[in-house]
Amino acid sequence: MPFRWSPREHLSLGAYLIKWLCIVTPTSIAIGSSCALFLWLLDRATNLRFQNPWLLFLLPPAGAAISLLYSRIGNGAEGGNNLLMDAIHGSENGDSGIVVPRRMAPLILVATIISHLFGGSVGREGTAVQMGGSIAAAIGRWFRLNLGDFRILLMAGIAAGFGAVFGTPLTGAVFAMEVLAVGRMNYDALIPCLAAAIIGDQACLAWGLHHSRYSVAAVAPEIVGPLTLKVILAAIAFGLASVLFAELIHGISHIFKRTVSRPWLRPVLGGLLVIALTYLLGTRDYLGLGVSSPDPQAVTIISCFSANGATPWSWWWKLLFTVITLGSGFKGGEVTPLFFIGAALGNALALLMNAPVELFAALGFVAVFAGASNTPLACTLMGIELFGASCSLYFAIACFLSYLCSGHSGIYLSQRIGTPKP
Amino acid sequence: MPFRWSPREHLSLGAYLIKWLCIVTPTSIAIGSSCALFLWLLDRATNLRFQNPWLLFLLPPAGAAISLLYSRIGNGAEGGNNLLMDAIHGSENGDSGIVVPRRMAPLILVATIISHLFGGSVGREGTAVQMGGSIAAAIGRWFRLNLGDFRILLMAGIAAGFGAVFGTPLTGAVFAMEVLAVGRMNYDALIPCLAAAIIGDQACLAWGLHHSRYSVAAVAPEIVGPLTLKVILAAIAFGLASVLFAELIHGISHIFKRTVSRPWLRPVLGGLLVIALTYLLGTRDYLGLGVSSPDPQAVTIISCFSANGATPWSWWWKLLFTVITLGSGFKGGEVTPLFFIGAALGNALALLMNAPVELFAALGFVAVFAGASNTPLACTLMGIELFGASCSLYFAIACFLSYLCSGHSGIYLSQRIGTPKP
């Protein structure tokens, strides 16, 4: 009989599905809830800083406190996102030696909130991803998963954290699979990652959290014509900005480590630099998360979506504040600052090239991140999830080209090279 | 200096970009224009059949003609999509022995139009993909590309054909990368595939072609709740339907080959079976492409998007008509019939589970294809490109689960296994 159908194969697929739903559901509820707590605390910390501008002067000692916290009780948690990736790659090769400590979750939560409270220019994704990975690792040990399943659960933890913190579950699922290696994606964690991202996002929303909404007026998809050429040029600029960001953050971190031998002194100096830059520029727009501001004239991610919502160099200042803050040892993510840098650069380029500001801000928002993290498909999906499908081709052009132009630079040093870029 | 930046790397990336735009642009214009010609001829053939119902009785001799055409002057073109995949895999391994003949393009065009004119239940994607691959191979030989570049151009040709024939360029680009291996995607053809799919689609549109438009009312994305459970159940059914389709088509083809020694006799028998089934069922709804019909009461892909637009077993009849037509040797694609089968099954399941008909028809439309071709991401993107982003999570759930549930079945026998399913 040439008709092949194996009921046993389908029973085993059903068992696989049920098993992973059972593992992933509690894990993702815990991760999504942690993300809700994080976003709530972040909101409180940001508002507290808006109301008490003097808190900025405590940024240097806050940095020292974070450094001491990690050196005293870090137990390896300092490795952050890279440690997670190393653990995932290690598990793939049968090496169970890389331990993701349970304390990574509370440590990164506290350290990120401290960074934000005192005005450090950091983001959210690193925190969410590390909380996700650390909680997933703890639950994986509790379930006594074998190494292969443990690896998949770590990936699902990343997906849940990413999906929950930005409210973009599909992006979170694809990001967790795409970020591990440049230019190659494996599908063995497809279903656990999707389930984790959806459940994590729902758990976060169930706590009453709301994500920032951005709106982009639908642009007629006139793919033939000068607009596409402008998108291509902007995409190349986004890719180069991502190289600048990734290389500067590694370079500054390297310089701090080589020139300042005491780890706690590095963020003190970084904090002082941030204060000096703030007073030199006469603006506090580049401190903290940058999504919103009590000052209606301020440059924020949201203001970048309107004409005159950013200066021609806003992208560069946000980039500089962020690489100094993160490079000197503060904690938090890179992604929200990358959204800011991209949206501000898109705003400036739109003005320069007489292109639609909203569209170009949205393109920069996702494309600089695509280049810096080498995740072009996840970022195209993020553009679609945040801004709608009407401009999906432009998102793809921007993210794919930025990915190409970022070369082998990237913010994640533990990312492997799956397929080299040309 | 810890800041790494190599202008040479970026110059070489720029040269790569320009080189591929120069190769891909003429190739994709040729492919997109061929697809326009194909779609125009297809439309004429379908209308001619609607006006002259007696043409169905010529289906058996038409099948014999197709078979003789391929056996006399096919020169290997019979291999179709699988030959293309073999050539791509061969190039990857340094084997240039598998030749994609130039005549594959005109042969598949003529054979598909003949199949449609006389009422065979076949699709379009195989034709577009084979025209794309054959034209790309011819141009690649003309440019004297090395084996690595030749492989990328073949993939770009698939992307251009797929993107143009369905008007979904982003899907076309991802499909060409995703279809080669189950569970693994490489990004080395990312930019050529995207450029080819966009240019191919634009070239096709420039000839004045219009694609069918489907509309799905935005469903509130209430991911928590009974609707999601229904989507999960439907997705499993879609995956099983894709297994049934893939295994039946291979099985029937196998039976025909074993029991009928003369190749030309197989489509004659297949054509007679189709005629018999048509009169047995008393309907012509399952002949041809099935996108539209002059009879407002007919079951078509479009009617499946409304309540009572399909019978509970429409999906099965379309499946049977298609596997007999294609399994006996007629030419054309599998994908449009898979859209029909999925949409009709979605329609029936929506009725059964009291779920929104439009949404479930759209989910089936993409998810049965996702299972049969093992391309879950491309099909999720197709859902977004055709029906909008409001239900993107449901598309992802349906396509990813259908992919899982299709196991190691699939319509493309030359698809490799990149990462085995659990």
Side-chain angles (χ1 to χ4, degrees):
Chain A
M1 177 61 193
F3 184 85
R4 282 190 314 120
W5 185 63
S6 139
R8 186 177 289 175
E9 183 186 2
H10 277 91
L11 282 178
S12 110
L13 287 174
Y16 169 89
L17 198 60
I18 291 168
K19 168 183 136 184
W20 276 107
L21 281 180
C22 289
I23 301 176
V24 150
T25 302
T27 313
S28 307
I29 290 175
I31 295 170
S33 303
S34 311
C35 285
L37 173 66
F38 166 53
L39 289 175
W40 182 80
L41 285 172
L42 180 57
D43 204 47
R44 302 296 301 246
T46 301
N47 282 324
L48 214 58
R49 181 173 62 80
F50 287 153
Q51 287 154 19
N52 304 283
W54 53 266
L55 282 172
L56 175 62
F57 297 106
L58 299 181
L59 187 60
I66 291 173
S67 174
L68 291 171
L69 196 66
Y70 270 90
S71 64
R72 293 288 156 83
I73 58 169
N75 198 15
E78 178 112 46
N81 289 7
N82 290 315
L83 178 73
L84 274 180
M85 285 193 207
D86 286 335
I88 292 171
H89 290 310
S91 309
E92 198 171 3
N93 303 330
D95 167 15
S96 60
I98 299 156
V99 177
V100 179
R102 238 194 321 257
R103 63 187 69 180
M104 183 190 255
L107 273 174
I108 188 71
L109 177 65
V110 169
T112 307
I113 296 297
I114 292 178
S115 298
H116 277 284
L117 179 62
F118 299 101
S121 170
V122 298
R124 299 170 286 190
E125 127 287 347
T127 316
V129 161
Q130 289 173 44
M131 289 197 305
S134 161
I135 292 170
I139 293 181
R141 284 190 292 263
W142 193 75
F143 271 115
R144 296 172 193 275
L145 296 186
N146 66 37
L147 215 51
D149 286 350
F150 186 74
R151 171 178 157 273
I152 288 176
L153 188 60
L154 279 184
M155 292 172 68
I158 293 177
F162 194 101
V165 82
F166 295 120
T168 54
L170 187 50
T171 309
V174 175
F175 176 82
M177 297 187 288
E178 197 176 28
V179 76
L180 296 173
V182 178
R184 170 171 293 178
M185 179 154 55
N186 280 338
Y187 285 18
D188 52 355
L190 194 74
I191 298 289
C193 283
L194 183 68
I198 292 176
I199 297 168
D201 179 44
Q202 289 297 323
C204 184
L205 290 174
W207 289 96
L209 263 289
H210 295 285
H211 296 287
S212 319
R213 286 268 153 251
Y214 310 93
S215 78
V216 171
V219 178
E222 39 146 335
I223 282 293
V224 179
L227 184 56
T228 303
L229 188 66
K230 293 174 188 173
V231 170
I232 292 174
L233 292 176
I236 294 173
F238 296 142
L240 294 175
S242 78
V243 174
L244 188 64
F245 182 91
E247 295 302 335
L248 267 184
I249 209 166
H250 300 319
I252 285 182
S253 164
H254 183 83
I255 290 175
F256 268 115
K257 281 180 186 157
R258 264 211 354 203
T259 54
V260 185
S261 59
R262 283 161 214 260
W264 61 267
L265 196 55
R266 295 171 199 152
V268 171
L269 292 174
L272 289 172
L273 268 173
V274 167
I275 295 172
L277 268 172
T278 304
Y279 281 88
L280 209 67
L281 290 176
T283 173
R284 289 168 167 260
D285 295 355
Y286 307 116
L287 299 173
L289 198 60
V291 171
S292 60
S293 165
D295 173 9
Q297 300 302 316
V299 179
T300 62
I301 296 185
I302 289 174
S303 83
C304 289
F305 284 79
S306 346
N308 305 315
T311 73
W313 293 101
S314 291
W315 68 272
W316 160 251
W317 296 120
K318 183 66 181 176
L319 192 155
L320 192 63
F321 273 77
T322 308
V323 296
I324 291 174
T325 311
L326 286 171
S328 67
F330 285 88
K331 294 290 168 187
E334 291 96 346
V335 176
T336 309
L338 285 170
F339 291 163
F340 190 128
I341 294 162
L345 181 55
N347 184 300
L349 291 172
L351 206 67
L352 201 68
M353 300 195 287
N354 192 25
V357 171
E358 281 186 10
L359 174 66
F360 274 57
L363 293 175
F365 187 104
V366 292
V368 175
F369 171 39
S373 62
N374 288 307
T375 56
L377 271 182
C379 291
T380 302
L381 286 169
M382 180 168 243
I384 292 170
E385 281 195 297
L386 289 179
F387 307 109
S390 65
C391 303
S392 53
L393 268 188
Y394 291 123
F395 288 123
I397 295 174
C399 292
F400 287 22
L401 272 181
S402 172
Y403 163 81
L404 176 76
C405 294
S406 81
H408 290 105
S409 292
I411 49 177
Y412 304 119
L413 290 173
S414 294
Q415 198 171 42
R416 301 253 167 116
I417 300 208
T419 310
K421 296 192 197 178
Chain B
M1 177 63 192
F3 184 84
R4 282 191 314 121
W5 185 61
S6 138
R8 187 177 290 176
E9 183 185 3
H10 276 90
L11 281 179
S12 108
L13 287 174
Y16 170 89
L17 197 59
I18 291 168
K19 169 182 134 183
W20 276 106
L21 282 180
C22 289
I23 300 175
V24 150
T25 302
T27 313
S28 308
I29 291 176
I31 295 170
S33 304
S34 311
C35 285
L37 173 67
F38 167 51
L39 290 175
W40 181 79
L41 285 172
L42 181 57
D43 204 48
R44 301 296 301 245
T46 302
N47 282 324
L48 213 58
R49 181 173 61 81
F50 287 153
Q51 286 154 18
N52 303 284
W54 53 267
L55 282 172
L56 175 63
F57 297 106
L58 300 180
L59 187 61
I66 291 173
S67 173
L68 291 172
L69 195 65
Y70 270 90
S71 64
R72 293 288 156 85
I73 58 168
N75 197 15
E78 178 112 46
N81 290 7
N82 289 315
L83 178 72
L84 273 180
M85 286 192 205
D86 286 335
I88 292 171
H89 291 310
S91 308
E92 197 170 4
N93 304 329
D95 167 13
S96 60
I98 299 155
V99 177
V100 179
R102 240 196 319 260
R103 63 187 71 180
M104 183 189 253
L107 273 174
I108 188 70
L109 176 66
V110 169
T112 307
I113 296 297
I114 292 177
S115 298
H116 277 285
L117 179 62
F118 299 101
S121 170
V122 299
R124 299 171 285 189
E125 128 288 346
T127 316
V129 161
Q130 288 172 45
M131 289 197 306
S134 160
I135 292 171
I139 292 181
R141 283 189 293 264
W142 192 75
F143 273 115
R144 295 171 193 273
L145 295 185
N146 66 37
L147 216 51
D149 287 350
F150 186 74
R151 171 177 158 271
I152 289 178
L153 188 60
L154 277 183
M155 292 171 68
I158 292 177
F162 194 100
V165 81
F166 295 120
T168 55
L170 187 51
T171 309
V174 175
F175 176 82
M177 296 188 289
E178 197 176 28
V179 74
L180 295 173
V182 178
R184 170 170 293 179
M185 178 154 59
N186 280 338
Y187 286 18
D188 52 355
L190 194 73
I191 298 287
C193 283
L194 182 68
I198 292 176
I199 297 169
D201 179 43
Q202 289 297 323
C204 184
L205 291 174
W207 288 95
L209 262 289
H210 297 283
H211 296 288
S212 320
R213 287 269 153 250
Y214 310 93
S215 80
V216 171
V219 179
E222 39 146 335
I223 280 295
V224 179
L227 183 57
T228 303
L229 188 66
K230 291 175 189 173
V231 170
I232 292 174
L233 292 175
I236 294 172
F238 295 143
L240 294 175
S242 78
V243 174
L244 188 63
F245 182 90
E247 295 302 335
L248 268 184
I249 208 167
H250 300 319
I252 286 182
S253 164
H254 183 84
I255 291 174
F256 268 115
K257 281 181 186 157
R258 262 207 359 202
T259 53
V260 185
S261 59
R262 283 162 214 258
W264 62 266
L265 196 56
R266 295 170 199 151
V268 171
L269 292 173
L272 289 171
L273 269 172
V274 168
I275 295 172
L277 268 171
T278 303
Y279 281 87
L280 209 66
L281 290 176
T283 173
R284 288 167 170 259
D285 296 355
Y286 308 116
L287 299 174
L289 197 62
V291 171
S292 60
S293 165
D295 171 11
Q297 302 300 317
V299 178
T300 63
I301 297 186
I302 289 174
S303 82
C304 290
F305 284 79
S306 348
N308 305 315
T311 73
W313 293 100
S314 290
W315 67 273
W316 161 250
W317 294 119
K318 183 66 181 175
L319 194 153
L320 193 63
F321 272 77
T322 308
V323 295
I324 291 174
T325 311
L326 285 170
S328 67
F330 284 88
K331 294 289 168 185
E334 292 96 345
V335 176
T336 309
L338 285 169
F339 292 163
F340 190 128
I341 294 162
L345 181 55
N347 184 301
L349 291 172
L351 205 69
L352 202 69
M353 300 195 287
N354 192 24
V357 171
E358 280 185 12
L359 175 67
F360 275 58
L363 293 174
F365 187 104
V366 291
V368 174
F369 171 37
S373 61
N374 288 305
T375 57
L377 272 182
C379 291
T380 302
L381 286 169
M382 180 168 242
I384 293 171
E385 282 196 296
L386 289 179
F387 308 109
S390 63
C391 303
S392 52
L393 267 188
Y394 291 123
F395 288 123
I397 295 174
C399 291
F400 287 21
L401 272 181
S402 173
Y403 163 80
L404 177 76
C405 294
S406 81
H408 290 105
S409 292
I411 49 177
Y412 303 120
L413 290 173
S414 294
Q415 198 172 43
R416 300 251 166 117
I417 300 209
T419 311
K421 298 190 196 179

